[in-house]
Amino acid sequence: MAQPYDPPNGQPPMGNPQIDVICGPLLNFKNMDINSSESTWRGSVLIVTKPNCPQPRLVLRKAGPAAPDASADAPLYGNHGSPIDGLRLYEDPEKAFWRFSLALPLDSYEARWEYAIDGFHYTQGDLGRASWDFVVPSVNQSMRMMFHSCNGFSVGTDMDAWLGPNLWNDVLRVHAQKPFHVMIGGGDQIYNDGIRVDGPLAEWTAIGNPHKRRAHNFDNSMRERCDEYYYANYIRWYSTEPFKEANGRIPQINIWDDHDIIDGFGSYTDHFMRCSVFRGIGGVAFKYYCLFQHHIAPPLSTYTTDAPQTMQAVNGTAGADPRQLENTYVLENQPEDDSWIVGKRPGPYVEEKSRNLYMRLGKRIAFVGVDARTERTRHQVNYNDTYDLIFNRLEQEVAAANGDIKHLIVLLGVPIAYPRLAWLENILSSPVIAPIRLLNKRFGFAGGLFNQFDGQVDLLDDLDDHYTARQHKRERRLFIQRLQDFSKTHSARVTFLGGDVHLAAIGRFYSNPKLGIQSRHDPRYMINVVSSAITNKPPPKAVANLLARRNKIHHLDHDTDETMMNMFDRQPGGIEKSANWNKVTMPSRNYACLTEVDIPFTNGDGPTGLEGGTIDQIPKDGHSPLHNGEATAGAENSAADGFGSDGVMPGGLDVAIRVEIDPQNKEGAADGYAFSIPPLEYVPSESDKKRPHSWRSHSLHGRHSRPQSGNNDPPRPSTSIN
């Protein structure tokens, strides 16, 4: 392999001015163009510098095949590589954001690329790396993915018990042996909740009268202080090792969730969510979400109560405030990135349109990231027309791919196949809680039970976030049925990624066994990989055990069942995390690896790797393995190390969940558990041919897009349909 670009003695090359870097580099994946003539990988690198610095320049070169034993001979650029000039996205008197846009030709082999930035110098005096590298797939390869969520600490976490982001060390170890092509952030890449504890919202949060809190202004002075807080928190966290190292070497894809703004944003009562302070911090958080997590210019201004032009979205974003633009540059009139699926209208609490994602993750995998925060309220996750935009884009992309797309990855901020907690919702929202709430309001009794924003039980905002919450059940059901129809039409497997809940689990939808459909032919078989948190502390094992006891078989509709899968067949490192009988929830910090596979998985179709042979019967229910790939699930699965299987089975995936053994271990030692998802070979059944597309007769929220609870669903048969 060629030597990386390395300035002599760590100094800038002669003639190149010093670039004072505050944060970065941050590497993003944007999309791929795959066609018969030439295929291209597109991404970007972001750095944050001191203001008034000269235009920075990145040098890029192909270093050769990713693996030492690759057979191809890679052409190499010269020692200093190909130059790329930085594009200034934003600058104010404190900092400047620069983006380098990358477009790389894909080759017949998996390739390693290296980049450096002329004159690069950290302002804190730490030179750090002189160059960084990353790996892109071959033109015939699907991407190898790493998925994570909840990458930060909740307010009040005992930092002596839960040391920093140690599990990123395991990510980097796995990456060094078998590189990830992309790391997918499922939300809460950063925790900004401290803004209400030791930040500029502390005094506002402490206002005892909820009416005064709701009526409080969000003027330009408060906006400036919140802006400083969000920016400083991003700089601190994105400069923390080993997360910092991963940011520069593994291309990122991100969606946001509540903690990227503030805990519970979108799920408090509507009259409170519409208060000026929440609308204001929503805008400031969106600004830095655009810059740090997506490498795009932010809106010209964000919401304040003393600039009328910012108080209502103009063309889908807040209007310009001359005070915010004083001594400030914001890049304008840039073409929209083709990875975006931009909503038609602003969210209810953020003066911005939602930004959903579509990307091609290599030869056979497509990806959709649903922005489930910008449009969220207590009664909806997304607008009906946003779902239409997403599915219209999917139809266009699949048609253009000419049958190459075999698997669709759907990224959600919260799990969609997960144990029901309706009984807990009923208790926490029942009249029984009212006397306790009154005592809390007057005397501070049971203060930890209630949040300081709207006075509701603190857990309710988390429960209301879940797709399985009663008010989201209709929207959830119709969304899944629409994906089922997509899967049938295109014979493409659908897999969900979701985090948020601070434990690991595998949920799945599947055809009711009475239909007699094997998994490889079953378009209703959809896995939900639940991986959370990579950094935040997990819940107590009693909570994980309670969730496992709630692992019932539910009926989404007449033909679709759902339940959790047995995955965790032993305790990681022999350290007890949950009860020995609990095989479905793992309360320990974790992340997931997804790799295209080369094993036969399906019922009775050949070798399985099991000593006892194959499974040749369709299980009676979802508490049993549904196919061979599930029957081999656990710590002994060959993919548990996170590397996946060798070779390719078009459309199938190995899924490994890497689980931290001991949070006190700074090296992030982890154990793995794995199983396989079969590709889909859809053969229409007689019932499928006769049954209409059920989702088409209903909007996802009922008539006129008004939010409805599950109680307004059509009458249910005697079995439990939800």
Side-chain angles (χ1 to χ4, degrees):
M1 182 180 296
Q3 293 299 309
Y5 171 74
D6 192 359
N9 302 317
Q11 298 302 312
M14 293 297 293
N16 290 340
Q18 179 171 297
I19 304 297
D20 291 323
V21 177
I22 301 170
C23 182
L26 310 177
L27 177 64
N28 266 27
F29 171 67
K30 292 294 186 182
N31 212 338
M32 298 178 77
D33 302 314
I34 300 179
N35 52 58
S36 56
S37 57
E38 184 179 20
S39 297
T40 306
W41 179 101
R42 288 184 282 117
S44 61
V45 172
L46 181 89
I47 58 172
V48 185
T49 71
K50 288 288 190 181
N52 304 314
C53 83
Q55 183 181 33
R57 173 171 290 185
L58 178 146
V59 286
L60 174 74
R61 69 170 190 168
K62 184 185 288 185
D69 58 351
S71 58
D73 293 323
L76 294 176
Y77 291 112
N79 284 340
H80 293 287
S82 179
I84 298 170
D85 288 334
L87 177 68
R88 186 175 50 158
L89 302 177
Y90 176 90
E91 183 170 349
D92 65 25
E94 301 297 323
K95 68 273 189 185
F97 289 79
W98 297 87
R99 182 185 73 206
F100 306 94
S101 295
L102 313 181
L104 314 177
L106 295 181
D107 216 317
S108 59
Y109 55 90
E110 187 180 27
R112 187 178 302 275
W113 289 78
E114 293 175 344
Y115 68 95
I117 296 167
D118 284 350
F120 188 97
H121 181 266
Y122 278 124
T123 56
Q124 63 267 38
D126 174 21
L127 178 64
R129 282 180 165 267
S131 65
W132 297 262
D133 66 334
F134 62 97
V135 172
V136 302
S138 74
V139 69
N140 293 311
Q141 192 177 12
S142 295
M143 282 193 176
R144 191 167 128 71
M145 297 161 273
M146 174 264 180
F147 167 58
H148 68 94
S149 68
C150 300
N151 180 42
F153 291 105
S154 298
V155 171
T157 300
D158 181 356
M159 299 304 295
D160 290 330
W162 302 95
L163 303 180
N166 296 337
L167 199 50
W168 285 99
N169 283 316
D170 191 67
V171 173
L172 292 171
R173 276 194 300 272
V174 175
H175 177 69
Q177 295 185 61
K178 191 166 185 180
F180 295 110
H181 301 123
V182 70
M183 65 182 191
I184 299 172
D188 302 339
Q189 278 71 251
I190 185 171
Y191 275 59
N192 287 312
D193 308 338
I195 194 171
R196 67 175 175 84
V197 177
D198 53 12
L201 296 191
E203 292 183 8
W204 174 78
T205 305
I207 297 174
N209 186 315
H211 300 288
K212 289 184 178 179
R213 245 192 341 266
R214 288 200 300 271
H216 198 284
N217 285 330
F218 190 82
D219 59 19
N220 194 52
S221 173
M222 181 175 277
R223 181 205 61 81
E224 285 183 338
R225 285 179 284 136
C226 290
D227 190 286
E228 290 170 1
Y229 181 91
Y230 279 97
Y231 168 71
N233 201 37
Y234 264 101
I235 293 297
R236 178 189 64 83
W237 190 245
Y238 276 65
S239 300
T240 299
E241 295 286 12
F243 180 47
K244 174 184 176 182
E245 173 82 0
N247 285 331
R249 300 186 60 209
I250 310 175
Q252 303 171 59
I253 301 172
N254 296 316
I255 63 169
W256 68 345
D257 205 34
D258 58 338
H259 295 282
D260 297 275
I261 312 170
I262 196 171
D263 185 20
F265 190 95
S267 291
Y268 297 116
T269 53
D270 180 73
H271 67 278
F272 185 70
M273 280 301 315
R274 292 187 184 277
C275 77
S276 293
V277 170
F278 266 21
R279 294 173 70 187
I281 62 171
V284 176
F286 182 81
K287 170 184 176 179
Y288 288 111
Y289 172 63
C290 287
L291 286 165
F292 280 97
Q293 299 198 41
H294 291 291
H295 305 183
I296 62 172
L300 291 175
S301 304
T302 63
Y303 173 99
T304 65
T305 51
D306 55 357
Q309 60 266 51
T310 69
M311 295 176 67
Q312 186 172 356
V314 179
N315 296 322
T317 192
D321 177 2
R323 297 170 308 169
Q324 296 185 45
L325 291 172
E326 187 176 358
N327 299 319
T328 297
Y329 169 82
V330 182
L331 179 67
E332 296 185 77
N333 302 319
Q334 283 293 293
E336 199 71 80
D337 193 304
D338 70 354
S339 64
W340 291 120
I341 306 173
V342 180
K344 290 185 175 180
R345 49 204 165 105
Y349 314 130
V350 181
E351 302 298 324
E352 305 296 338
K353 294 178 180 179
S354 66
R355 289 184 171 267
N356 310 277
L357 294 168
Y358 173 85
M359 297 170 178
R360 187 78 172 268
L361 302 187
K363 181 69 171 178
R364 286 166 290 275
I365 298 178
F367 169 88
V368 164
V370 179
D371 177 352
R373 191 54 54 183
T374 304
E375 298 171 357
R376 178 180 287 275
T377 71
R378 208 161 199 165
H379 295 283
Q380 77 177 19
V381 181
N382 287 99
Y383 297 142
N384 289 332
D385 46 32
T386 296
Y387 288 106
D388 290 339
L389 289 170
I390 291 171
F391 280 97
N392 289 343
R393 176 68 179 272
L394 278 174
E395 292 297 329
Q396 296 170 11
E397 296 289 349
V398 172
N402 296 317
D404 280 350
I405 294 174
K406 305 296 184 183
H407 210 126
L408 172 65
I409 302 293
V410 179
L411 175 63
L412 304 172
V414 295
I416 199 166
Y418 198 66
R420 302 295 192 274
L421 295 172
W423 57 277
L424 185 55
E425 290 180 78
N426 292 335
I427 292 173
L428 296 181
S429 57
S430 74
V432 175
I433 295 294
I436 304 175
R437 185 182 292 112
L438 181 62
L439 289 171
N440 170 262
K441 182 178 179 181
R442 293 188 176 179
F443 308 109
F445 177 77
L449 183 61
F450 301 93
N451 71 63
Q452 297 182 346
F453 291 143
D454 63 356
Q456 299 294 320
V457 177
D458 196 39
L459 273 175
L460 270 177
D461 69 282
D462 289 320
L463 296 177
D464 287 339
D465 255 4
H466 284 211
Y467 282 96
T468 51
R470 58 179 178 269
Q471 60 264 40
H472 298 318
K473 282 163 60 176
R474 180 187 184 88
E475 182 177 356
R476 170 184 183 265
R477 174 168 56 81
L478 295 176
F479 180 39
I480 295 164
Q481 288 172 337
R482 200 164 181 177
L483 285 166
Q484 289 176 348
D485 287 339
F486 170 85
S487 188
K488 292 174 185 177
T489 301
H490 302 289
S491 192
R493 179 69 69 204
V494 175
T495 293
F496 297 101
L497 305 179
D500 182 71
V501 293
H502 297 182
L503 51 75
I506 302 295
R508 69 253 216 270
F509 302 97
Y510 52 93
S511 287
N512 190 315
K514 70 183 180 184
L515 299 175
I517 302 175
Q518 293 184 349
S519 295
R520 73 165 169 171
H521 302 308
D522 184 5
R524 301 181 187 93
Y525 180 77
M526 301 179 185
I527 289 293
N528 186 178
V529 179
V530 181
S531 182
S532 166
I534 193 169
T535 296
N536 207 351
K537 66 177 182 180
K541 59 184 178 183
V543 173
N545 293 339
L546 174 63
L547 288 167
R549 291 192 185 279
R550 300 297 303 173
N551 183 29
K552 312 295 184 182
I553 294 176
H554 295 276
H555 306 289
L556 178 81
D557 55 31
H558 296 286
D559 295 334
T560 310
D561 286 358
E562 56 179 292
T563 191
M564 309 293 284
M565 188 183 92
N566 288 339
M567 176 76 163
F568 306 105
D569 52 349
R570 69 184 186 201
Q571 300 296 314
I575 298 176
E576 183 177 310
K577 304 285 187 177
S578 60
N580 286 329
W581 54 264
N582 179 1
K583 312 296 184 187
V584 298
T585 57
M586 174 57 70
S588 188
R589 300 197 288 191
N590 65 90
Y591 69 95
C593 312
L594 295 91
T595 309
E596 204 166 31
V597 301
D598 181 27
I599 60 170
F601 339 77
T602 52
N603 310 6
D605 288 338
T608 67
L610 287 175
E611 295 296 331
T614 64
I615 297 175
D616 53 11
Q617 300 293 324
I618 294 188
K620 64 178 181 179
D621 61 48
H623 288 314
S624 303
L626 298 179
H627 56 80
N628 293 337
E630 290 189 2
T632 60
E636 298 302 321
N637 189 286
S638 61
D641 55 12
F643 302 147
S645 305
D646 293 328
V648 171
M649 172 66 77
L653 289 177
D654 271 333
V655 177
I657 293 184
R658 301 283 296 167
V659 175
E660 181 181 58
I661 296 172
D662 180 3
Q664 293 290 310
N665 182 289
K666 294 183 178 180
E667 298 304 313
D671 263 355
Y673 305 82
F675 75 108
S676 300
I677 301 173
L680 177 63
E681 299 172 14
Y682 176 55
V683 179
S685 66
E686 289 304 314
S687 62
D688 286 338
K689 293 175 183 177
K690 296 175 182 177
R691 192 175 302 280
H693 295 300
S694 57
W695 62 267
R696 288 180 177 165
S697 59
H698 303 282
S699 72
L700 271 69
H701 304 293
R703 296 185 60 192
H704 310 300
S705 298
R706 294 177 60 188
Q708 296 186 11
S709 71
N711 294 332
N712 293 324
D713 285 352
R716 297 175 179 173
S718 57
T719 55
S720 173
I721 306 289
N722 52 70

